[in-house]
Amino acid sequence: MLEASHHYFHQAADVIGLAPKVREILLTPNRVIKVEIVEEADDGQLMHYTGFRVQHNNARGPCKGGLRYHPTMDEDHAAALANLMTWKTAIVDVPFGGAKGGIDCDPSQMSRFELERVTRRFVEQCKEIIGPTIDIPAPDVNTNADVMAWIMDEYSRHAGFSPGVVTGKPLHLFGSDGREEATGRGVMYALEEALRDRGGEISGTTVALQGFGNVGSHAARLIAERGGKIVAVGDHVGGVSNEAGLDVTALVAWATEHRTVAGFAGGDAFEGPEIITWPADVLIPAALEDAIDENNAADVRAQIIIEAANAPTTPEANAILHDKGVLIVPDILANAGGVTVSYFEWAQNIQQFRWELDRVNTELEKYMRRAYGSVREVAREKNVDLRTAAFVLAIQRVGRAALSRRSVHETIDLS
Ligand code: NAD
């Protein structure tokens, strides 16, 4: 996975002729942490998991990035996702660097108490390397506001009251209005901008969506509210489709109760992976990485892909889709709404001040549209696709900050 993110980095670095020395400075992570978590399960057996945190770059501010609880979590995933966070925070221009981490556990097989114990042990092992001015975790796959509350509580035992140590907290515990739906809302703005580039609008546009968790479900709801038709949704269990458009509110209620969209009565069932090649105007992968690869890319029928998930498209698939003329809005732009509102939450925590929901959403829209506009401008100027343009912009911003903070022997041109 790290290889894929490096591939895109070098593709963009080649466009601006970036010196090898700067590539090495920008690609090398600041810190890679691995911790062993051994805790008692409810039945007295031992649970043994491994936790990871990779702090990739802090040239533009404290490291920032999600925590993922998933059996596939490992150092490679953490490093690749931390890398993406560095570029993402630069693209939306929030004062953070990039980090990512997680634990290789499966929360669906754990009780709430087991999850809490494992989370607290992880924080205990990492408490010296996280903090409001060092590294600020946030929710990602299989982690939510409850997990963030435990992190805040455990960290505060060590450092004193510290709401700014994590974002995505519950509203009643210094969370921000609008944070939970922020990534999905940002995805909706990215879709609006992409449709504008292709001369369309959300109303009447058909959308196929993979993943119906935090990001996917909020994106679906907001797109449906604007007249878009969610014609198919697939997840890790199965999928459901309806040509006339799924009733998203009812689907959210079903998925909340059953932890899957499979079995929903308001449409026809299909096998989950079919979602990638579903006949729709737009495909939104909002699940895990590598969903679109060289085996299914040629069969993708959507003309626009909004990468709500991190790294859903392999470089091989990206090349195939590019040749087919598919417009891809890359992850580091499309799903940046989450970290943007995380920044608002952190800023509110530090100021001990609360923003109204309207202000959060208005600012989020401004940040997302401005970021999209900047990436579009670079794409036109350099005659490259949006992903390459997004990486170029990020490399320039992070590179300038990194090089201003240290001396190098030669003059480096980042234009
Ligand atoms: P989540 O845990 O809330 O939901 C994950 C969804 O993916 C679920 O619907 C699950 O069924 C589905 N899924 C899991 N494995 C699958 C598989 N093999 N095939 C099909 N579907 C599968 O997670 P989330 O927070 O919504 O995150 C989704 C993606 O968005 C991830 O790539 C994450 O890194 C990225 N992301 C999340 C945020 C955020 O704020 N939560 C921000 C930026 C990016």
Side-chain angles (χ1 to χ4, degrees):
M1 202 184 161
L2 186 58
E3 212 175 297
S5 90
H6 283 188
H7 168 88
Y8 294 132
F9 173 93
H10 285 300
Q11 209 167 48
D14 288 346
V15 170
I16 54 172
L18 193 68
K21 184 189 271 184
V22 185
R23 294 183 195 219
E24 191 168 339
I25 290 172
L26 295 184
L27 283 180
T28 309
N30 292 0
R31 184 145 52 187
V32 180
I33 297 278
K34 183 175 160 197
V35 296
E36 299 300 331
I37 300 163
V38 182
E39 277 291 325
E40 254 190 342
D42 292 346
D43 63 3
Q45 300 282 314
L46 274 190
M47 303 181 284
H48 187 157
Y49 298 114
T50 307
F52 304 89
R53 189 72 182 167
V54 173
Q55 295 169 347
H56 174 248
N57 187 293
N58 61 358
R60 301 182 72 259
C63 292
K64 184 91 191 81
L67 266 193
R68 178 178 293 194
Y69 288 180
H70 197 275
T72 60
M73 193 67 202
D74 58 16
E75 193 179 307
D76 179 73
H77 274 74
L81 294 165
N83 214 281
L84 292 179
M85 284 306 297
T86 296
W87 317 129
K88 193 181 301 181
T89 49
I91 289 166
V92 275
D93 205 7
V94 294
F96 291 131
K100 201 79 173 196
I103 302 173
D104 61 356
C105 63
D106 181 357
S108 70
Q109 305 301 313
M110 297 163 74
S111 75
R112 185 179 164 81
F113 294 101
E114 290 171 341
L115 209 56
E116 179 177 345
R117 280 202 293 282
V118 165
T119 300
R120 287 189 186 275
R121 178 65 65 188
F122 179 72
V123 176
E124 212 273 321
Q125 314 255 53
C126 291
K127 62 183 183 299
E128 273 85 23
I129 58 118
I130 61 171
T133 60
I134 304 170
D135 180 0
I136 306 132
D140 192 77
V141 174
N142 292 332
T143 56
N144 55 21
D146 293 344
V147 176
M148 299 305 120
W150 299 327
I151 295 175
M152 178 197 140
D153 185 69
E154 189 64 32
Y155 181 80
S156 294
R157 285 181 195 205
H158 152 75
F161 176 67
S162 310
V165 66
V166 273
T167 55
K169 299 178 292 294
L171 252 186
H172 56 265
L173 200 70
F174 310 98
S176 175
D177 256 319
R179 171 59 184 94
E180 200 194 299
E181 64 167 51
T183 310
R185 182 172 282 274
V187 164
M188 182 269 292
Y189 293 134
L191 172 58
E192 257 180 9
E193 292 293 324
L195 283 165
R196 183 186 299 177
D197 284 343
R198 288 278 163 116
E201 56 176 16
I202 288 189
S203 179
T205 293
T206 57
V207 177
L209 193 84
Q210 185 195 41
F212 205 66
N214 172 298
V215 179
S217 63
H218 284 297
R221 178 179 56 79
L222 291 161
I223 291 166
E225 277 172 18
R226 281 155 185 77
K229 252 199 272 182
I230 310 294
V231 291
V233 177
D235 68 17
H236 67 293
V237 180
V240 61
S241 72
N242 187 332
E243 253 180 72
L246 290 157
D247 177 342
V248 174
T249 310
L251 186 57
V252 168
W254 173 271
T256 307
E257 188 182 341
H258 298 88
R259 290 175 149 203
T260 173
V261 297
F264 178 61
D268 303 317
F270 66 88
E271 297 288 321
E274 285 176 43
I275 192 70
I276 300 299
T277 54
W278 204 265
D281 302 321
V282 176
L283 171 64
I284 305 184
L288 296 179
E289 53 280 349
D290 299 343
I292 312 171
D293 60 16
E294 70 268 37
N295 300 315
N296 58 19
D299 299 324
V300 166
R301 284 186 265 184
Q303 278 308 299
I304 294 177
I305 294 176
I306 311 289
E307 291 186 342
N310 282 310
T313 313
T314 66
E316 296 78 14
N318 193 63
I320 296 169
L321 294 165
H322 184 261
D323 289 347
K324 276 164 65 98
V326 176
L327 177 64
I328 303 179
V329 183
D331 47 8
I332 51 177
L333 170 61
N335 69 32
V339 75
T340 303
V341 177
S342 273
Y343 163 52
F344 301 157
E345 179 176 332
W346 176 80
Q348 291 172 69
N349 292 158
I350 286 190
Q351 296 172 14
Q352 293 290 316
F353 191 79
R354 193 176 272 284
W355 292 10
E356 302 282 328
L357 178 61
D358 258 6
R359 178 168 178 196
V360 170
N361 287 342
T362 305
E363 288 292 322
L364 170 62
E365 179 170 3
K366 214 186 316 177
Y367 273 69
M368 284 302 295
R369 293 203 195 280
R370 189 170 54 205
Y372 199 110
S374 305
V375 170
R376 180 192 281 130
E377 215 175 285
V378 175
R380 286 182 185 153
E381 185 196 315
K382 306 273 185 205
N383 194 23
V384 293
D385 61 15
L386 290 179
R387 190 190 311 279
T388 309
F391 269 88
V392 165
L393 183 67
I395 289 170
Q396 289 173 329
R397 287 181 174 168
V398 180
R400 279 186 191 119
L403 294 175
S404 296
R405 293 177 71 148
R406 64 194 294 161
S407 300
V408 282
H409 282 93
E410 62 274 44
T411 308
I412 305 274
D413 180 14
L414 284 164
S415 55

